[in-house]
Amino acid sequence: SQTIHQWPATLVQPVGSPLSLECTVEGTSNPNLYWYRQAAGRGLQLLFYSVGIGQISSEVPQNLSASRPQDRQFILSSKKLLLSDSGFYLCAWSVGTVNEKLFFGSGTQLSVL
Amino acid sequence: AQSVTQLDSQVPVFEEAPVELRCNYSSSVSVYLFWYVQYPNQGLQLLLKYLSGSTLVESINGFEAEFNKSQTSFHLRKPSVHISDTAEYFCAVSETGFQKLVFGTGTRLLVSP
């Protein structure tokens, strides 16, 4: 069966420090991968999505970047965190072009202080 | 590009009352539509979806949504809510042939006795 792993679950980082959140999917090939940020009052905001290795689409210009070094690995990064980067980050995957269902990871609560 | 509007950030209702959560979308092409639910302290999960065919779709726990192309809406309804329906509900849209899934800002349904 397919599973999605996202870590860490919580993270407290000082302003200006780097960030690396990792997400891996098991049990499927060539998934579509997504990074979302969930913030109070702003719902679920799509940050990046990828339909294949090295293919990244950015939805929101910001302080973050994403990479997909392997088929089932998706990394969210920042060189210097801002206070406004605080939030709940969710990784998700789907298969195919119909996108019938998105499967979400358990999320990372990031607090930038 | 597609977008989703959920005008109601919070909907309080009494148990056994009917409820409607509104969702409107914007897209220049045909779309797939979804409702996701996030119960307290749980991850996001798919509630129901419209891909094609009948414009009225149902979930296993009594919710239904109707795709109205002329009004570009996909409102979620339930004739009689339970306390256990308390959750945040997200409407989402995906343009056919594309892997990007865009979510609305969410509606918090609060069911009280």
Side-chain angles (χ1 to χ4, degrees):
Chain A
S1 64
Q2 303 94 341
T3 56
I4 179 170
H5 301 282
Q6 188 180 343
W7 68 92
T10 59
L11 190 60
V12 180
Q13 292 285 97
V15 170
S17 63
L19 172 74
S20 181
L21 302 181
E22 190 162 341
C23 171
T24 59
V25 179
E26 295 178 359
T28 187
S29 296
N30 196 30
N32 305 312
L33 295 171
Y34 306 83
W35 278 111
Y36 286 90
R37 178 168 57 200
Q38 187 174 16
R42 298 192 62 182
L44 212 58
Q45 183 183 32
L46 178 62
L47 302 176
F48 303 94
Y49 71 99
S50 170
V51 300
I53 296 175
Q55 301 179 59
I56 309 295
S57 295
S58 175
E59 291 300 304
V60 183
Q62 58 200 332
N63 188 41
L64 303 170
S65 62
S67 61
R68 185 171 178 173
Q70 299 180 43
D71 181 44
R72 289 169 289 176
Q73 185 185 28
F74 205 25
I75 298 173
L76 183 69
S77 304
S78 173
K79 292 183 179 178
K80 287 185 178 181
L81 284 169
L82 305 172
L83 287 174
S84 57
D85 292 324
S86 294
F88 190 60
Y89 290 82
L90 285 163
C91 180
W93 69 273
S94 68
V95 291
T97 57
V98 177
N99 236 358
E100 288 195 36
K101 187 173 182 178
L102 226 60
F103 297 89
F104 286 87
S106 53
T108 296
Q109 182 65 52
L110 172 66
S111 300
V112 183
L113 305 177
Chain B
Q2 71 269 46
S3 66
V4 178
T5 302
Q6 291 181 253
L7 288 174
D8 306 307
S9 60
Q10 191 165 289
V11 174
V13 293
F14 289 110
E15 195 173 18
E16 298 183 5
V19 71
E20 178 180 83
L21 306 184
R22 296 180 293 169
C23 172
N24 289 90
Y25 70 92
S26 173
S27 174
S28 58
V29 299
S30 57
V31 296
Y32 302 131
L33 294 159
F34 308 82
W35 277 99
Y36 279 78
V37 59
Q38 187 174 33
Y39 296 104
N41 301 314
Q42 294 188 31
L44 276 153
Q45 54 188 287
L46 181 67
L47 183 63
L48 48 76
K49 61 188 178 187
Y50 167 78
L51 302 180
S52 65
S54 173
T55 57
L56 185 65
V57 292
E58 299 177 354
S59 71
I60 58 173
N61 58 350
F63 281 94
E64 65 178 29
E66 186 163 18
F67 170 51
N68 188 318
K69 189 175 182 180
S70 62
Q71 296 186 7
T72 60
S73 67
F74 191 55
H75 301 331
L76 182 69
R77 303 183 181 95
K78 189 170 185 179
S80 176
V81 295
H82 302 291
I83 297 286
S84 59
D85 293 324
T86 293
E88 188 147 20
Y89 292 80
F90 293 91
C91 183
V93 63
S94 175
E95 293 181 335
T96 57
F98 293 90
Q99 286 73 42
K100 187 170 74 173
L101 188 64
V102 175
F103 286 80
T105 51
T107 297
R108 187 171 298 276
L109 176 63
L110 298 170
V111 183
S112 53

